[in-house]
Amino acid sequence: MAEERDTFKKAPKRKPNRGKSVAVSPEMRQAYADLIRERQEKQETYGRHLPSDPPKGR
């Protein structure tokens, strides 16, 4: 009977893991910033060519 009580016990709370930090060269940082900017520009261009909200109803 003692084992049954242990089965449904709450698990102890875990300490949150800290994120890892990575050292990156300035060139890599600039390349990443350029990549983000390119993606953002592509998304804006794509969004411009989409039709506006379609008419509601049947």
Side-chain angles (χ1 to χ4, degrees):
M1 283 274 192
E3 291 177 12
E4 289 179 20
R5 291 184 185 160
D6 291 342
T7 305
F8 298 106
K9 270 189 175 177
K10 257 189 179 178
K13 292 191 176 188
R14 296 183 184 180
K15 291 184 181 179
N17 292 336
R18 296 196 66 188
K20 295 181 182 178
S21 61
V22 180
V24 183
S25 68
E27 295 87 17
M28 286 293 291
R29 188 173 294 169
Q30 184 61 41
Y32 188 67
D34 292 342
L35 181 69
I36 291 173
R37 193 176 317 111
E38 280 181 29
R39 283 187 185 173
Q40 199 170 23
E41 288 173 1
K42 284 181 183 179
Q43 188 67 28
E44 288 174 6
T45 306
Y46 178 75
R48 269 189 239 135
H49 297 291
L50 290 177
S52 59
D53 293 340
K56 305 255 176 170
R58 292 184 179 192

